[in-house]
Amino acid sequence: MSTIKKRNVSIVGSTAFTGIKLEQPAEYAAGVPAVKVALQHAFKEMGVVKSMKGLAQMNQKGGFDCPSCAWPDPKKRSKIAEYCENGAKALADEATNKTIDHEFFKKYSVEEISQWSDYTIGQKGRLIEPLILRPDSVHYESVSWEDAFSIIAKQLHELKSPDEAIFYTSGRSSNEAAFLYGLFSRAFGTNNMPDCSNMCHESSGVALSETLGIGKGSVKLEDFYEAEVVMILGQNPGTNHPRMLSALEKCKNNDGVIISVNPLEEAGLVRFKNPQSVNGVLLSGTSISDFHLQVKINQDVSLLKLILKKLAKLNKKDATVFDHDFINKYTSGYEALLQDLDKYSNDELLSLCGVKEQYIDEVVAVLAKKNKIIICWAMGLTQHKNGVENIKECVNLLLLKGSLGKPGAGTCPVRGHSNVQGDRTVGIMHFVSKELNEAIKNTFGFTPPDKAGLDTVHAIEAMHEGKAKVFMSLGGNFLSAASDTEYTAEAIKQCDLTVHISTKLNRSHLITGKTAIILPTLGRSELDQKGNKPRYFTVENSMGKVHRSKGMLPPVSNNLKSEPEIIGGIAKAYFGNEHPVDWEVLSTNYEFMREKMGKVINGFQDVNQKSQKNGFYLPNNVRDLDFSKLPDGKAQFSICGLPNHAIDEDEFILMTIRSHDQFNTTIYGLDDRYRGIYNERRIVLMNENDMKKFNLHKLDVINLISSYDNKERKAFNFLVIPYHIPEGNLASYFPETNILVPYNHFADKSNTPISKSVIVRLEKVASIS
Ligand SMILES: Nc1nc2c(c(=O)[nH]1)N[C@H]1C(S)=C(S)[C@@H](COP(=O)(O)OP(=O)(O)OC[C@H]3O[C@@H](n4cnc5c(=O)[nH]c(N)nc54)[C@H](O)[C@@H]3O)O[C@H]1N2
Ligand SMILES: Nc1nc2c(c(=O)[nH]1)N[C@H]1C(S)=C(S)[C@@H](COP(=O)(O)OP(=O)(O)OC[C@H]3O[C@@H](n4cnc5c(=O)[nH]c(N)nc54)[C@H](O)[C@@H]3O)O[C@H]1N2
Ligand code: SF4
Ligand SMILES: [Mo]
């Protein structure tokens, strides 16, 4: 028996400043600078030839799906460039020529690497061989695939119960990999399948399921071209879903009105230059938002209630403001909603949301006359205690206006990871679906567990309490992405084994269980073949369309396996030949796997044929106005309360957001170009009146402190930046600030951490002036 080493690893890495430069926030998003930056990143990481080859195939029919966000591709694609700056950065990050092997880990211990920043760690390149960190060591060393699989299998066999294992998934995996992973978890005997959705759009899933009967959005891309109004709440498309701006531009060209609701004036929402149109390159671009409502953090419900009250008042005079035919035919709870709205005073709502009444009235006047309304949202609505209700209030508005199930109207939760929606569709979930279990039993001949599993926050708690001992991760960076970094690190370190199926090195590989294994996998852009036959896989975009994705770049190493092959290898090592599923065939023959998926997953029948060419839409009851599975067979209006924040004089609400140069925990660079912040990530955006009140000056150094349940959490060293943000509100980047987010504070019903409304105090460390 080997000794167990206590490793002295840093959970945050370097907190040193990197040399900030400030400019005015950008007036517009994209345009020529975006193209330049995109190509710079690509050339630096991949060289010119590989870059041009890769970029030319990205998002093209027959090519591979952009590994970044889940925004859909238009029917008519640009032959030259069907991608945006951040798509190009994602490709450059994945398809970089830089690699790291056991020699790198011989030189640097995990203790040393953990002292570096996430940016530095990410720059080291692709993982190219299986690695193991043994209990008595601080250095990873190489291990064969076979040995890695058998060590994992042995550890899984040693568990007292299957529920001592956790199988996490990040949203970049293909449908095939996720399906197989879910199947293995169920065959192993647990529904402990937390996924990144739990930290992301889970609130949307819960709210939409309860009100409309499906946890996904209802719009298609083409609906944007027909919409009369698009409302965008809590989302920063210029950075996080850049090609959405092209759809919004088209909407505007067709006389659509765009309303943004955000504590910040994000560049893409103010103005946009489309690099693919002459107008975008040469002229001033399109002004995207017609109305910008600068709401205070987490006061969207107050604002929406006020809008609903004002619309209800207009409807009393003119009954065409609400769509009464729609309300009567398809909904339940209308009267109760109106009665509840009467309980709130306009003044109360107005002062809570912090928006000028004149702007609200202008927006109400537009909404009163229009019926084709799309509401889009992302993390600004989901990551609050009342995340589910935020979204239900949006649904209330759409139901009142009859803006569902017709062209140009509907719900649009803008999904994050490129296949996060698909992973859920094919079975990555911690809850139990009786239909899915039944279909698996009939198709594969084993009985899946019928006890609900753990989601992200509860998986962390279980590991912390020593109730879970093996943590496996299909992609992602759980340690840095999850809330409460210190608590999460303690939890992970309790595990006997942590396993990561990964493309790039990240902090989750450094803060690990007693034994840690890294299994390197092919990236999405890389050629995946069996023998000499190239394989493709499928993904689902944000609008429920499934299509194929086929990598073509030469893999960075011949020693990589595809994700399904890795999962199959683990399953085979665990079950041997004594299982009804033939894991070898299933994990290597994707066509065969898709045939089986067709028998198990609703909408996947004939997927091998249907996924050719343009792909296909999955069933969506809202598009068909079929609410038969809901109470009374009707879509549900919801009564939502107001958010409740007891904030002291010296406290702020902090939202932890993304910069322009990151993809979640992957840091591409240190600039946040659209916000005018260069070469620094340790920043806090603050209103100038608050700065005066707290005697702070530009670039003063502060610490951020959160106190929940008598526990203080501190994040060190942030530079204050005066910014156009509501008083009492702050913004800073994640993952640096995840240390402040308490693990046990999360959204009601969805359990999504409260990453966008963390209550903090400030502590001044040093004054620059
Ligand atoms: N380049 C790039 N693209 C990405 C990602 C990335 O990191 N980089 N991540 C992907 C993933 S996984 C996701 S989930 C999405 C995330 O996409 P977003 O949700 O756009 O990402 P965030 O940076 O978290 O931005 C949240 C936005 O909500 C606003 N906001 C915060 N709190 C509130 C509030 O209370 N009310 C309102 N109305 N607004 C609020 C913020 O000002 C900000 O504009 O992007 C995906 N795409
Ligand atoms: N405070 C705060 N915390 C947040 C958020 C926030 O807004 N604020 N946002 C939350 C959200 S919306 C999300 S979705 C989560 C994200 O949580 P995760 O999905 O867990 O994190 P990522 O940073 O996207 O994971 C990046 C890692 O994935 C691996 N990877 C990349 N591509 C591939 C691939 O093709 N295959 C495999 N196997 N691995 C790959 C690489 O090793 C890379 O380092 O973070 C959440 N955390
Ligand atoms: S909008 Fe999203 S999916 Fe499309 S190219 Fe940009 S990052 Fe990739
Ligand atoms: Mo996300």
Side-chain angles (χ1 to χ4, degrees):
M1 178 99 185
S2 57
T3 52
I4 293 170
K5 176 119 182 109
K6 194 167 178 303
R7 304 181 189 110
N8 186 17
V9 276
S10 165
I11 58 171
V12 286
S14 169
T15 57
F17 294 124
T18 40
I20 193 165
K21 287 190 209 87
L22 292 178
E23 282 179 18
Q24 281 303 312
E27 281 202 353
Y28 53 80
V32 175
V35 177
K36 210 173 113 195
V37 171
L39 293 179
Q40 268 168 359
H41 269 266
F43 292 169
K44 186 172 139 234
E45 296 295 326
M46 301 190 280
V48 176
V49 176
K50 193 172 169 188
S51 301
M52 296 322 284
K53 201 173 156 197
L55 289 169
Q57 286 295 314
M58 191 151 81
N59 294 332
Q60 297 293 348
K61 291 173 189 167
F64 62 91
D65 185 52
C66 170
S68 193
C69 80
W71 191 255
D73 304 312
K75 270 190 194 139
K76 236 179 109 193
R77 321 245 166 125
S78 154
K79 286 244 158 42
I80 321 162
E82 197 51 64
Y83 56 85
C84 70
E85 172 189 346
N86 276 328
K89 284 188 202 158
L91 175 66
D93 186 73
E94 168 181 303
T96 177
N97 293 326
K98 287 184 262 171
T99 58
I100 44 180
D101 62 6
H102 64 276
E103 289 296 334
F104 171 88
F105 290 100
K106 205 193 257 171
K107 188 162 167 203
Y108 301 108
S109 69
V110 287
E111 293 177 342
E112 244 176 302
I113 301 170
S114 76
Q115 300 298 328
W116 305 345
S117 68
D118 290 329
Y119 174 56
T120 307
I121 292 172
Q123 292 299 299
K124 295 300 166 195
R126 283 283 296 278
L127 296 154
I128 51 167
E129 59 179 328
L131 297 159
I132 186 164
L133 180 64
R134 299 190 190 274
D136 58 352
S137 177
V138 288
H139 288 272
Y140 273 102
E141 54 195 91
S142 52
V143 62
S144 71
W145 281 103
E146 287 317 308
D147 286 352
F149 292 153
S150 67
I151 293 167
I152 296 167
K154 185 164 174 283
Q155 197 76 52
L156 288 173
H157 275 297
E158 277 173 18
L159 295 178
K160 286 199 212 85
S161 139
D163 288 331
E164 287 187 345
I166 286 165
F167 298 97
Y168 173 72
T169 311
S170 166
R172 200 173 275 185
S173 293
S174 61
N175 287 333
E176 287 74 0
F179 175 75
L180 197 67
Y181 193 60
L183 195 71
F184 173 62
S185 175
R186 292 181 176 92
F188 176 69
T190 184
N191 285 310
N192 285 348
M193 280 179 270
D195 71 340
C196 67
S197 267
N198 298 150
M199 303 181 251
C200 183
H201 266 296
E202 196 71 56
S203 303
S204 312
V206 172
L208 294 173
S209 300
E210 288 186 3
T211 53
L212 300 174
I214 183 171
K216 303 179 181 184
S218 72
V219 299
K220 297 180 177 177
L221 184 56
E222 295 73 34
D223 287 319
F224 278 81
Y225 314 151
E226 283 191 50
E228 292 170 321
V229 178
V230 178
M231 282 184 86
I232 304 162
L233 298 93
Q235 194 207 341
N236 178 17
T239 285
N240 297 317
H241 308 90
R243 282 190 312 160
M244 178 174 167
L245 300 184
S246 305
L248 295 176
E249 184 184 43
K250 254 192 172 166
C251 172
K252 284 209 63 135
N253 290 343
N254 295 340
D255 298 324
V257 175
I258 315 277
I259 301 166
S260 70
V261 179
N262 200 308
L264 301 179
E265 264 179 22
E266 304 285 26
L269 294 174
V270 183
R271 197 179 283 273
F272 169 54
K273 284 190 184 185
N274 187 344
Q276 275 145 38
S277 78
V278 176
N279 176 44
V281 176
L282 301 177
L283 307 175
S284 65
T286 311
S287 168
I288 287 278
S289 288
D290 299 271
F291 299 99
H292 175 68
L293 304 183
Q294 193 174 21
V295 68
K296 282 185 189 271
I297 293 177
N298 198 206
Q299 290 301 341
D300 300 81
V301 168
S302 322
L303 173 65
L304 287 165
K305 274 196 194 305
L306 189 51
I307 291 174
L308 296 188
K309 272 177 78 79
K310 286 176 182 271
L311 285 172
K313 192 172 166 197
L314 291 178
N315 186 66
K316 277 193 186 145
K317 282 187 231 143
D318 170 4
T320 64
V321 170
F322 291 160
D323 184 339
H324 290 280
D325 287 344
F326 183 93
I327 294 171
N328 292 338
K329 193 161 172 205
Y330 295 112
T331 74
S332 155
Y334 171 69
E335 294 298 335
L337 175 77
L338 288 202
Q339 275 166 25
D340 184 70
L341 285 175
D342 281 342
K343 291 186 193 150
Y344 299 92
S345 83
N346 283 19
D347 288 348
E348 175 195 12
L349 298 173
L350 198 58
S351 106
L352 282 171
C353 73
V355 183
K356 252 192 177 171
E357 187 160 24
Q358 178 203 332
Y359 299 156
I360 299 175
D361 288 338
E362 285 169 7
V363 164
V364 167
V366 173
L367 291 171
K369 291 200 202 84
K370 311 284 183 185
N371 300 304
K372 293 204 261 174
I373 302 167
I374 293 177
I375 301 189
C376 308
W377 68 88
M379 298 305 100
L381 290 200
T382 62
Q383 296 175 331
H384 301 280
K385 174 100 169 63
N386 67 337
V388 171
E389 296 207 329
N390 276 336
I391 291 139
K392 286 187 171 178
E393 205 71 89
C394 294
V395 173
N396 282 342
L397 175 56
L398 292 173
L399 290 176
L400 289 170
K401 297 294 301 176
S403 280
L404 287 163
K406 63 181 176 198
T411 51
C412 184
V414 187
R415 305 300 298 243
H417 268 294
S418 52
N419 197 41
V420 60
Q421 190 161 309
D423 291 351
R424 193 46 78 79
T425 302
V426 300
I428 298 297
M429 56 204 175
H430 55 280
F431 44 86
V432 181
S433 154
K434 278 200 179 127
E435 297 82 52
L436 180 69
N437 278 5
E438 196 56 33
I440 289 177
K441 191 176 160 194
N442 293 338
T443 311
F444 292 104
F446 71 88
T447 307
D450 55 9
K451 178 179 152 218
L454 301 168
D455 60 8
T456 291
V457 290
H458 293 102
I460 297 170
E461 210 170 51
M463 287 188 274
H464 204 272
E465 290 171 4
K467 290 182 187 158
K469 296 280 181 196
V470 173
F471 175 86
M472 203 180 289
S473 180
L474 179 57
N477 182 2
F478 189 79
L479 185 275
S480 301
S483 49
D484 219 336
T485 321
E486 200 171 326
Y487 183 86
T488 300
E490 286 165 8
I492 298 270
K493 284 187 200 167
Q494 296 257 17
C495 289
D496 291 328
L497 174 70
T498 47
V499 180
H500 288 94
I501 301 171
S502 311
T503 50
K504 298 275 299 269
L505 185 66
N506 63 48
R507 205 165 287 280
S508 294
H509 305 124
L510 310 173
I511 289 138
T512 65
K514 289 167 193 111
T515 301
I517 290 177
I518 302 176
L519 302 171
T521 189
L522 288 170
R524 193 176 269 196
S525 57
E526 287 170 325
L527 182 65
D528 176 3
Q529 48 184 2
K530 182 169 168 55
N532 281 330
K533 201 168 161 252
R535 295 181 284 203
Y536 72 90
F537 54 78
T538 60
V539 288
E540 176 182 341
N541 67 30
S542 198
M543 289 166 194
K545 192 177 194 188
V546 177
H547 61 94
R548 50 184 271 174
S549 172
K550 191 170 169 194
M552 29 62 74
L553 294 175
V556 281
S557 155
N558 291 329
N559 198 16
L560 303 179
K561 288 186 189 292
S562 73
E563 290 178 338
E565 282 172 345
I566 296 174
I567 299 157
I570 296 170
K572 231 169 48 183
Y574 180 78
F575 288 112
N577 293 326
E578 288 167 25
H579 197 260
V581 178
D582 185 337
W583 297 99
E584 167 77 30
V585 176
L586 199 62
S587 64
T588 51
N589 185 340
Y590 301 173
E591 246 136 57
F592 176 71
M593 174 157 40
R594 281 188 287 268
E595 266 173 43
K596 297 282 179 192
M597 288 167 84
K599 296 199 161 64
V600 174
I601 308 294
N602 189 17
F604 269 67
Q605 294 74 17
D606 303 321
V607 59
N608 278 316
Q609 293 75 43
K610 288 193 297 191
S611 59
Q612 309 296 331
K613 294 194 178 158
N614 293 330
F616 63 97
Y617 280 100
L618 288 168
N620 188 306
N621 62 294
V622 180
R623 285 178 193 150
D624 305 334
L625 288 173
D626 168 11
F627 302 112
S628 54
K629 290 209 172 121
L630 289 162
D632 307 332
K634 299 272 174 79
Q636 305 287 308
F637 280 107
S638 318
I639 310 274
C640 309
L642 292 176
N644 179 16
H645 295 289
I647 294 175
D648 285 339
E649 276 278 290
D650 61 344
E651 289 178 330
F652 292 82
I653 301 195
L654 167 77
M655 52 179 178
T656 61
I657 57 175
R658 292 156 170 78
S659 81
H660 191 65
D661 261 3
Q662 73 184 85
F663 189 89
N664 299 340
T665 68
T666 301
I667 313 301
Y668 301 137
L670 302 176
D671 298 343
D672 196 358
R673 200 170 78 244
Y674 293 162
R675 299 196 184 106
I677 301 160
Y678 291 84
N679 209 37
E680 186 58 78
R681 288 185 53 84
R682 304 200 71 83
I683 57 98
V684 176
L685 309 182
M686 195 169 182
N687 184 291
E688 283 192 273
N689 291 336
D690 286 332
M691 288 174 59
K692 280 196 202 113
K693 202 160 119 194
F694 288 83
N695 192 24
L696 289 167
H697 300 95
K698 185 165 147 182
L699 301 184
D700 277 355
V701 182
I702 58 164
N703 296 332
L704 296 164
I705 304 161
S706 73
S707 309
Y708 285 86
D709 317 314
N710 297 321
K711 189 175 170 196
E712 255 190 15
R713 296 169 173 85
K714 212 185 242 194
F716 294 92
N717 263 9
F718 291 84
L719 298 168
V720 175
I721 297 181
Y723 208 79
H724 192 51
I725 182 171
E727 281 179 45
N729 289 177
L730 301 174
S732 187
Y733 304 134
F734 99 96
E736 287 83 347
T737 45
N738 251 335
I739 202 151
L740 299 165
V741 188
Y743 76 94
N744 54 346
H745 288 250
F746 40 75
D748 298 330
K749 292 192 174 181
S750 68
N751 301 350
T752 300
I754 52 159
S755 319
K756 293 290 187 280
S757 46
V758 190
I759 298 177
V760 294
R761 276 180 294 125
L762 312 178
E763 177 182 73
K764 190 160 163 179
V765 179
S767 205
I768 284 281
S769 45

